[in-house]
Amino acid sequence: MYSIGEYWQRGSAIVGNRLFPGNKKLNRLMIYATDLCDSACKHCLIWAKRPVKHLPAADIVKLMESRCVTSNTNIGLEGGEFMLHPEAHDILQWFYDHHRNYDILSNCLKPDSLIAAVRKYKPQRLYISLDGNEETYLYMRGKAGYQHVLQVIKALHKEVTISVMFTLSPYNDFGDMEHVAAVCRQYGIDMRVGLYNNIPLFDTYDKAHETEIGEQKQTKPLQYKDVAQLKDKIEATKELKQAELTNDPHLPQHDASKIHRRFADFIPEGIKEFKENYEYLALYEGWRRKQVQLKCFSIIESLVVLPNGDVPLCQNLDLVLGNIHQQSLDEIFNGKDAQQKQQHYMHNCNQCWLAFHRKYDVALYRTFEQVFGKWATGKMLGYYQWREDGNASLKQVLK
């Protein structure tokens, strides 16, 4: 779970960035340093990208010199598999020496080298991926990595804060979620649940929010030649996503008629121990039905940089604000064009239920409701609703 201090810091960043949109500071910067990956996941095809791209260490250091990056900015180093970056140790050494407020994200397929790196460079947090039991892991991720993940957890759970990332998708199910929650309870570590989404960087092909959870479970693992055959389907998904963006940026474009079951009834009881996850999952069906509507505040305090230097507005929309090889990060994040796009999509976009963005939005509204009440929260943050009855509070909806 997020700490009270993390909530306070992110909330303060939102307030400051709304008051001074040309001088915004980043609370969270995720650096996709490489698209090289040794996994073969179905829900993320970054491992099949060719040619492979790396963000050079010198460019990462330059990013850290930006005015919008402060000592409070939390950095995430990921990929692909970050540890496969040819300059991974140089980058980690720089962060150890100059900016300790950083995290490593890893698939743990090279457990010994990851364990050694964590012990040497001491990240603030280690995020590791685990999407089910040993069999599900193999079918979903294409590699026999389940035991490697457990090896890392056993070795490091008392040395560094670990968050296990679980992605609920067409390739696993709620039983796999409960299995991962049990692993986290066993070792006393955090669990963070996300939902499968068609993130442009990941070249996904099954249509998110329409292909049901578990629908593709135990289909054969993917190989590189399989991805080549899926090229047309991947491009069609991207074209549809771009058409949605062009036609109507104000509402989610998924087909609510394809929702055949009450999603919340399938959430394992144990997930309630991980508060942010339960709220995020319980509201998902309402969002798919276009009943849950929230503004997106995360895009004015969080940012990602891709391996080719592109800086998208967010992780969901295929809308690039700029490229760090052509402009500085400050110009990209705080320039007039960026301000206009951020303001528009902050107030008008409700198109994704990505954990990176929407978990914080849910927590922000929930916290304001608890302190100020529903009416005052709407006045301060703008109109929102948890269900068709716009007067209902989150507490009432989750009863």
Side-chain angles (χ1 to χ4, degrees), residues 212-229:
E212 291 290 348
I213 301 304
E215 190 173 311
Q216 304 289 348
K217 187 174 179 178
Q218 292 188 327
T219 51
K220 69 175 185 177
L222 284 181
Q223 299 180 21
Y224 183 79
K225 61 180 178 62
D226 300 321
V227 178
Q229 294 173 357

Side-chain angles (χ1 to χ4, degrees), residues 156-180:
L156 296 176
H157 73 282
K158 294 182 179 180
E159 300 180 34
V160 65
T161 301
I162 294 177
S163 286
V164 172
M165 299 186 298
F166 174 91
T167 301
L168 186 63
S169 73
Y171 319 110
N172 58 5
D173 57 25
F174 291 95
D176 292 304
M177 182 190 292
E178 176 53 41
H179 176 86
V180 173

Side-chain angles (χ1 to χ4, degrees), residues 195 209 251-257 259-265 267 278-294 350-353 358 362 385-389 394 397-398:
L195 286 156
H209 318 306
L251 290 172
Q253 299 295 319
H254 43 270
D255 186 354
S257 68
I259 305 171
H260 303 300
R261 56 189 182 181
R262 180 173 162 79
F263 189 88
D265 292 343
I267 302 173
Y278 181 74
E279 294 171 344
Y280 167 73
L281 290 168
L283 292 167
Y284 175 58
E285 180 184 7
W287 173 78
R288 289 179 71 186
R289 294 184 184 278
K290 305 182 183 181
Q291 297 167 355
V292 175
Q293 296 192 31
L294 306 174
N350 194 42
Q351 292 190 66
C352 85
W353 204 245
R358 303 328 298 266
V362 171
Q385 63 182 46
W386 300 115
R387 63 186 182 195
E388 282 184 307
D389 173 10
L394 180 61
V397 170
L398 296 182

Side-chain angles (χ1 to χ4, degrees), residues 1-8 125 192 276:
M1 291 176 60
Y2 293 103
S3 67
I4 294 175
E6 287 176 299
Y7 281 132
W8 174 257
R125 188 185 294 268
R192 301 202 177 182
E276 295 90 349

Side-chain angles (χ1 to χ4, degrees), residues 175-389:
D176 292 304
M177 182 190 292
E178 176 53 41
H179 176 86
V180 173
V183 171
C184 293
R185 285 193 294 270
Q186 179 182 354
Y187 292 98
I189 57 180
D190 180 36
M191 178 181 179
R192 301 202 177 182
V193 176
L195 286 156
Y196 171 75
N197 203 82
N198 297 117
I199 297 175
L201 175 66
F202 294 165
D203 289 344
T204 51
Y205 59 94
D206 278 310
K207 183 63 177 170
H209 318 306
E210 293 184 14
T211 308
E212 291 290 348
I213 301 304
E215 190 173 311
Q216 304 289 348
K217 187 174 179 178
Q218 292 188 327
T219 51
K220 69 175 185 177
L222 284 181
Q223 299 180 21
Y224 183 79
K225 61 180 178 62
D226 300 321
V227 178
Q229 294 173 357
L230 287 168
K231 183 178 179 181
D232 290 342
K233 192 173 182 181
I234 293 167
E235 290 304 313
T237 300
K238 286 188 172 182
E239 289 173 7
L240 179 60
K241 190 176 183 67
Q242 186 60 40
E244 293 168 356
L245 173 63
T246 302
N247 292 335
D248 185 0
H250 302 284
L251 290 172
Q253 299 295 319
H254 43 270
D255 186 354
S257 68
K258 293 189 177 183
I259 305 171
H260 303 300
R261 56 189 182 181
R262 180 173 162 79
F263 189 88
D265 292 343
F266 290 83
I267 302 173
E269 186 69 21
I271 293 298
K272 291 183 178 179
E273 298 176 28
F274 307 94
K275 187 174 183 179
E276 295 90 349
N277 295 323
Y278 181 74
E279 294 171 344
Y280 167 73
L281 290 168
L283 292 167
Y284 175 58
E285 180 184 7
W287 173 78
R288 289 179 71 186
R289 294 184 184 278
K290 305 182 183 181
Q291 297 167 355
V292 175
Q293 296 192 31
L294 306 174
K295 295 186 184 298
C296 187
F297 289 105
S298 62
I299 61 173
I300 64 168
E301 53 89 53
S302 296
L303 207 60
V304 301
V305 180
L306 307 186
N308 67 353
D310 280 348
V311 181
L313 174 72
C314 69
Q315 293 218 42
N316 179 62
L317 300 176
D318 197 8
L319 180 60
V320 176
L321 295 177
N323 187 288
I324 64 167
H325 302 307
Q326 300 166 2
Q327 296 172 280
S328 71
L329 188 64
D330 291 310
E331 291 170 328
I332 293 170
F333 183 54
N334 283 323
K336 291 294 184 182
D337 183 62
Q339 291 180 49
Q340 292 174 358
K341 288 183 171 67
Q342 289 159 350
Q343 287 298 311
H344 175 77
Y345 285 96
M346 178 173 67
H347 293 294
N348 297 309
C349 185
N350 194 42
Q351 292 190 66
C352 85
W353 204 245
L354 266 173
F356 183 76
H357 297 290
R358 303 328 298 266
K359 272 190 182 180
Y360 178 67
D361 293 326
V362 171
L364 181 68
Y365 279 102
R366 179 243 298 154
T367 303
F368 268 65
E369 269 193 3
Q370 291 174 342
V371 177
F372 303 108
K374 179 91 172 49
W375 181 85
T377 298
K379 290 296 182 183
M380 288 184 284
L381 298 181
Y383 178 80
Y384 70 102
Q385 63 182 46
W386 300 115
R387 63 186 182 195
E388 282 184 307
D389 173 10

